[in-house]
Amino acid sequence: MWPEPNSSAAGGRMLQLISLFKDQGYSITFASPAQDSDFMVALAEYGVDKKSIALNCASFDVFVKELNPTVVLFDRFMMEEQFGWRVTDNCPKALRLLDTEDLHCLRLARQKAFKENRLFQTSDLMTEEVAKREIASILRCDLSLMISKFEMELLTTTFKIDKALLYYLPFLLEPITVSAFEQFPPFEERKEFVFIGNFLHEPNWNAVQYLKESIWPLIRKQLPQVALNIYGAYPSQKVLQLHQPKEGFLIKGRADKAQEVVSKARVVLAPLRFGAGVKGKLIEAMQCGTASVTTTIGSESMHGDLPWNGAVTDSPQVFADEAVQLYNDNKRWLEAQYNGLTIINQRYLKALFVEDFNKQILFLQANLQQHRITNFFGAMLQHHTLSSTKYMSRWIEAKNK
């Protein structure tokens, strides 16, 4: 997809990366085989050239060779699979970066374990089909941008990935100043609970089901007059069928202004039972001064040793009780709000990462040949990829003619 910052955290992440490179003086071209949508961002407003490209087509070779980029960033491993070998063929000196967003194999392995009603184990990753593709993509690239320190450790310990191929780059945010903090809607003006998340993302759909079946009835029993508003882009018919006004369970669909919706709510609920990466909905809650209740999966790698901006629990009853307490207790809610402010300002400020990231890029560009020699497994995969994926793509290209 083209970036849709109002639809998903991934869209916001991409704009943050664009801003990061623009600040360093780069000219940026964003190329995608995706169809245009009504919700995509206007890239021209960010000074970015937009280019539509085709899968399995030599036209990309002409395009990228003429462009001759110094840096190429792949948006998730699927794009590297499709276009990485063409970039290597036509622009061998270009630095190849991979933005993983989250570790897809981790999310899918956890999802599989959940559906099989068993605990996830790291050994599950070894049998996850996507892991083979994703790890190969990481190895073929010069550097992979990781949003989660937990996932970096998983890659280095479980898959033995060289740390030199990984770089921790979380969400890049502006600080929450005292004046901004004072402008947050106060506790008394906020009402109701909210869940927000793109329904194309399976963990979000599962979380809404969990809310409907197990958690919301427990909350509603204690707060019979309070509603839960469910927002999310691309809701399917099965999502819309959960709309139950008499139960205070309201499916609202896409939020035109997500931060406005979250800022008006008193508590964000995010009972995620599987997933990976850093959760944009919970970052957004902190940015809006809204308390949140989530699971250990939801809060994973997000707050370090800092206290959470609400509560973290995997028990449905405790989840409901914590949500009710935050909803009713002004003092507890203010403490949670302050915790969120602290997490943002200590862990996610763009200023904390800009200088070091630029140094890393410059270092790799100056030492690219040696860096690639050291990455033997990456070179080996490049060799085999150029002998298999390349010719499969050529075959499809010829077939399409």
Side-chain angles (χ1 to χ4, degrees), residues 187 222-223 266 323-330:
F187 177 85
Q222 299 181 63
L223 298 171
R266 193 172 288 181
V324 170
Q325 186 179 8
L326 280 164
Y327 195 87
N328 287 332
D329 189 336
N330 192 343

Side-chain angles (χ1 to χ4, degrees), residues 214-223 316-318 320-321 324:
S214 303
I215 296 175
W216 183 245
L218 299 173
I219 296 175
R220 182 76 167 176
K221 187 176 181 180
Q222 299 181 63
L223 298 171
Q317 185 63 63
V318 176
D321 292 343
V324 170

